[in-house]
Amino acid sequence: MKNLKIIPLLIGLIFTLVACGNNKAASVGEPKVKTVNFQRKYKLKSVPTLFFHGALSNYRAETNITKAAKLIGITNSITRIDVSPDGKVKFIGTIKKNAINPIIEVNYKNNIQFDFAKAGMYATNVIKALKQKYGISQINVVAHSLGNMSVMYYLIQNYHKNMPKINKQVAIAGHFNGVALKQTLQNLRAPDNLKLSASGKPNKMNQAYKQMLILRKIYPQERTKVLNIVGDKGKASDGLVPNASSESLKYLLGSDSNNYQVKKYYGPKADHGRLTYNRQVIRDVINFLWR
């Protein structure tokens, strides 16, 4: 737990190193990464829920939520999928045929992937493999921090394709309009004096947010129910992401904002790296997904 306090500082350092080597914005195009074909085993009866972790992290960052769900009997299946830096998918464990609300913890071997299009392709490979192996047509997703970009770019890259629909989406500490670090790449940096209108529209948009504006057409078609979890440890920020950046997710839903809700948490336990350990957050995520 004490190491969580240094996560924002480490992320800042990583952002700085990346910025020194590459000042180009992430492309919405689909990068070439390896995919794996799987034989169909059986069709799952329950909608699986995928967990995507953030930068400098791994699947263990969300196990507080997944273990709580299993402990209270909501699920009887927790498995993992590892994704290599080149996008190759590896199943760790097998989902049983009669699994109840199966959970899949997604684990990125490259956990500092700031090319959002490639992060989207990582998610695509995972979901495509699940579709091939288990015949899924719907999924729920829970994402923390950088993991949210995998989800958003999955939606962009697979619009109008025969891919599983996102039924419910939980966004935790999402930096949709950037982070509050001056030394980051331009498409990662939150604009100065960022403010939102009543519709959630930001007064300024970074490059990544502009790319995601296409979601205003996609979300109304998908009808995804969205829960946005925002932390405020003081000064309208979770310590890394300004609340205005996280809450700008609302505008990306376009006319489908009726399927959107935001929950805000305050104090030290609302810190960017602590939100997935926050008991109130865990309770609210479980209620939203499976109540």
Side-chain angles (χ1 to χ4, degrees):
M1 289 292 291
K2 63 182 179 181
N3 291 333
L4 292 172
K5 295 180 179 179
I6 67 171
I7 286 178
L9 297 177
L10 290 174
I11 291 176
L13 176 61
I14 293 286
F15 281 159
T16 302
L17 293 174
V18 175
C20 291
N22 178 14
N23 59 8
K24 295 181 180 179
S27 169
V28 181
E30 299 181 10
K32 293 181 180 179
V33 293
K34 293 183 180 180
T35 60
V36 178
N37 291 323
F38 294 89
Q39 271 192 328
R40 169 72 71 82
K41 292 180 71 72
Y42 37 74
K43 188 172 182 179
L44 293 178
K45 295 180 180 179
S46 293
V47 176
T49 299
L50 282 65
F51 282 74
F52 294 90
H53 62 79
L56 293 174
S57 186
N58 56 46
Y59 73 96
R60 294 185 180 90
E62 283 76 47
T63 55
N64 290 281
I65 304 173
T66 61
K67 287 181 179 178
K70 188 172 184 179
L71 182 65
I72 62 180
I74 285 172
T75 182
N76 61 359
S77 173
I78 300 177
T79 55
R80 190 172 91 233
I81 292 180
D82 284 350
V83 183
S84 68
D86 64 0
K88 188 175 180 180
V89 170
K90 179 181 179 181
F91 283 82
I92 310 296
T94 300
I95 305 174
K96 295 179 180 180
K97 186 174 183 179
N98 295 318
I100 300 170
N101 298 322
I103 289 174
I104 298 98
E105 298 168 335
V106 180
N107 188 54
Y108 288 164
K109 295 296 186 178
N110 178 2
N111 63 3
I112 50 170
Q113 179 54 260
F114 300 122
D115 181 339
F116 298 154
K118 193 167 185 179
M121 185 56 73
Y122 283 176
T124 297
N125 285 357
V126 168
I127 297 165
K128 184 182 292 184
L130 284 167
K131 180 185 177 184
Q132 290 173 348
K133 192 168 185 177
Y134 296 110
I136 63 170
S137 59
Q138 293 187 62
I139 57 172
N140 299 325
V141 295
V142 179
H144 176 249
S145 192
L146 187 63
N148 286 287
M149 290 305 181
S150 279
V151 175
M152 305 303 272
Y153 279 74
Y154 167 79
L155 284 167
I156 293 171
Q157 292 169 358
N158 293 283
Y159 182 50
H160 282 326
K161 294 183 181 179
N162 186 25
M163 287 289 285
K165 172 187 179 297
I166 296 179
N167 182 37
K168 292 184 179 182
Q169 174 185 353
V170 179
I172 304 174
H175 49 79
F176 304 104
N177 203 6
V179 298
L181 289 171
K182 297 292 185 183
Q183 67 270 37
T184 65
L185 295 171
Q186 189 173 357
N187 73 309
L188 291 167
R189 187 186 313 142
D192 293 333
N193 301 315
L194 185 59
K195 297 178 182 179
L196 303 180
S197 69
S199 67
K201 183 178 182 179
N203 60 337
K204 302 175 184 178
M205 303 177 185
N206 69 8
Q207 291 173 319
Y209 194 89
K210 290 176 181 177
Q211 290 177 347
M212 290 189 290
L213 287 174
I214 191 174
L215 289 165
R216 287 177 52 78
K217 296 180 179 179
I218 296 174
Y219 270 110
Q221 298 288 330
E222 296 293 301
R223 305 295 293 169
T224 300
K225 294 181 175 64
V226 179
L227 171 62
N228 192 7
I229 289 178
V230 178
D232 185 349
K233 60 179 291 187
K235 299 182 179 179
S237 170
D238 66 13
L240 180 65
V241 183
N243 291 170
S245 176
S246 294
E247 294 181 62
S248 65
L249 172 59
K250 179 180 179 181
Y251 186 68
L252 295 177
L253 269 67
S255 61
D256 199 36
S257 58
N258 287 336
N259 278 324
Y260 169 85
Q261 59 178 295
V262 60
K263 287 185 177 290
K264 190 175 287 189
Y265 308 82
Y266 298 89
K269 292 182 180 179
D271 178 81
H272 184 82
R274 292 176 179 262
L275 279 168
T276 57
Y277 298 84
N278 185 312
R279 290 185 180 183
Q280 186 178 359
V281 171
I282 293 171
R283 180 200 65 194
D284 290 343
V285 169
I286 287 174
N287 284 339
F288 174 76
L289 290 171
W290 298 295
R291 182 172 55 188

